[in-house]
Amino acid sequence: MKKTIFIFTSLIIALLALFQISKYHLISQDVSIQFVIATIAVVFFIIGSVINKKTSHSITVSSQEINQAKINELGISNREHEVLCKVAEGLSNKEIAHQLYVSENTIKTHVSNLLAKLNAKRRTQAIQIAKKLKIIPL
Amino acid sequence: MKKTIFIFTSLIIALLALFQISKYHLISQDVSIQFVIATIAVVFFIIGSVINKKTSHSITVSSQEINQAKINELGISNREHEVLCKVAEGLSNKEIAHQLYVSENTIKTHVSNLLAKLNAKRRTQAIQIAKKLKIIPL
DNA sequence: ATTATACTCATACTAAAGTATGAATTTCAT
DNA sequence: ATGAAATTCATACTTTAGTATGAGTATAAT
């Protein structure tokens, strides 16, 4: 987001600089200022699209806004949600335990509670349900 | 895509029309044509971003075509792919066996082979990898 | 202070999942 | 027809996952 704004600002400055030069060449000769402006519009339209496409890969896909309301509704705690995300990443209970510095038994408890809250029979089903409810990122 | 081009074209025309009017007002009075152009650039930059965001939602998310080439590359058979999809739906081996009218042992074999081909340690990881490779639907 | 919630952990299970190996069938292209 | 690949299945294991129960700690709200 910050990068986008930075690029955008530099481009505006570059545009103004270029215009400063062209001012006495193109416009004073009246070489269709409409054409100049149209070109600028096209260029910036394309720039806007390209930048958005690049960032949308990490915005549209990864930040698939999570449904916090649903999480609360299901009574899923912060820790449980954290574990749920790790489960969805394909980690084992042991691996999650190591990452969160707790015992494997603790993770088992969290997962078991999650399955009950999500009304799932298995962790794979929990992942599917959680994604449908948008409580974990795609 | 066609819609984007259509909107884009209309906007260009609208811009030129607006310029035709402003020509004798803003520019002749020399009210900083740089400002006018900068505004146009900003507007089109935003338009480009917005249009791209709207279209990317129905291209990136909904029509997520499966990568058949990758499936072949990994040597995943039809039956294995079928099982993989069921696994991703959150079904147990027993449930998949019932749905496909084969024994649970057969499903275990398929899953085991899938894990090897996808280089995964667990079925949950296989799901994650398969989704990243776009060999199963979101 | 005390109740409620969240988080932690253990033990002892049961149930799935996954591996390894070997083998019988079927399918399909050469 | 024959060899290769795909599909099916079994048996015997090992390893994870998941359940049930009980309990200790910490924290925040009443």
Side-chain angles (χ1 to χ4, degrees):
Chain A
M1 225 24 195
K2 285 170 188 169
K3 203 175 266 181
T4 306
I5 291 163
F6 173 73
I7 292 167
F8 172 67
T9 309
S10 337
L11 283 167
I12 288 288
I13 292 163
L15 176 75
L16 292 174
L18 279 170
F19 183 74
Q20 204 68 33
I21 298 161
S22 67
K23 197 177 182 180
Y24 303 101
H25 293 265
L26 290 169
I27 294 162
S28 63
Q29 285 168 26
D30 209 302
V31 181
S32 173
I33 191 160
Q34 293 178 28
F35 177 73
V36 174
I37 289 187
T39 305
I40 288 159
V42 171
V43 168
F44 270 80
F45 177 80
I46 291 165
I47 288 165
S49 298
V50 170
I51 285 176
N52 190 272
K53 192 165 272 178
K54 278 193 178 174
T55 55
S56 76
H57 257 290
S58 55
I59 288 173
T60 312
V61 175
S62 81
S63 89
Q64 222 269 266
E65 64 211 57
I66 52 163
N67 190 346
Q68 188 63 47
K70 204 80 195 177
I71 294 172
N72 296 333
E73 188 189 322
L74 294 170
I76 294 172
S77 73
N78 289 337
R79 199 57 157 175
E80 282 166 353
H81 186 260
E82 204 174 351
V83 170
L84 178 59
C85 292
K86 301 279 186 190
V87 167
E89 284 173 24
L91 300 178
S92 69
N93 289 338
K94 193 177 283 181
E95 287 170 342
I96 298 170
H98 285 158
Q99 283 194 13
L100 301 183
Y101 304 105
V102 294
S103 83
E104 193 185 337
N105 285 317
T106 303
I107 302 301
K108 283 189 179 187
T109 304
H110 286 320
V111 172
S112 199
N113 291 334
L114 275 167
L115 294 183
K117 288 173 183 178
L118 287 169
N119 199 26
K121 287 175 193 160
R122 285 163 292 283
R123 48 169 56 205
T124 50
Q125 201 182 1
I127 294 169
Q128 186 70 1
I129 292 168
K131 287 193 177 175
K132 232 168 220 161
L133 298 177
K134 295 177 189 232
I135 62 180
I136 53 171
L138 276 179
Chain B
M1 229 16 199
K2 285 169 189 169
K3 203 176 266 180
T4 306
I5 291 163
F6 173 73
I7 293 167
F8 172 68
T9 309
S10 342
L11 283 168
I12 288 286
I13 293 163
L15 176 74
L16 291 175
L18 279 170
F19 183 73
Q20 205 67 34
I21 300 162
S22 68
K23 198 177 183 180
Y24 305 102
H25 294 266
L26 289 170
I27 293 163
S28 64
Q29 285 168 24
D30 209 304
V31 180
S32 174
I33 191 160
Q34 294 179 30
F35 178 74
V36 175
I37 289 187
T39 306
I40 289 159
V42 170
V43 169
F44 271 79
F45 178 81
I46 290 165
I47 289 165
S49 298
V50 169
I51 286 176
N52 191 274
K53 192 166 273 180
K54 279 192 177 176
T55 54
S56 74
H57 251 290
S58 55
I59 289 171
T60 312
V61 176
S62 80
S63 82
Q64 144 90 96
E65 59 214 53
I66 55 163
N67 190 347
Q68 187 62 46
K70 204 79 195 177
I71 294 172
N72 296 334
E73 187 189 323
L74 294 170
I76 294 172
S77 71
N78 289 337
R79 199 57 157 174
E80 282 167 353
H81 186 260
E82 203 175 351
V83 171
L84 179 59
C85 292
K86 301 278 186 191
V87 167
E89 284 173 24
L91 300 178
S92 69
N93 289 338
K94 193 177 285 181
E95 287 170 342
I96 298 170
H98 284 158
Q99 284 194 13
L100 301 183
Y101 304 105
V102 294
S103 84
E104 193 185 336
N105 285 316
T106 303
I107 302 302
K108 282 190 179 184
T109 304
H110 286 320
V111 171
S112 200
N113 291 332
L114 275 167
L115 295 183
K117 288 174 183 177
L118 287 169
N119 199 25
K121 287 176 194 161
R122 284 163 293 282
R123 49 169 56 209
T124 50
Q125 202 182 2
I127 294 169
Q128 186 70 2
I129 291 168
K131 287 193 177 175
K132 233 168 218 163
L133 298 177
K134 295 176 192 236
I135 61 181
I136 52 172
L138 275 179

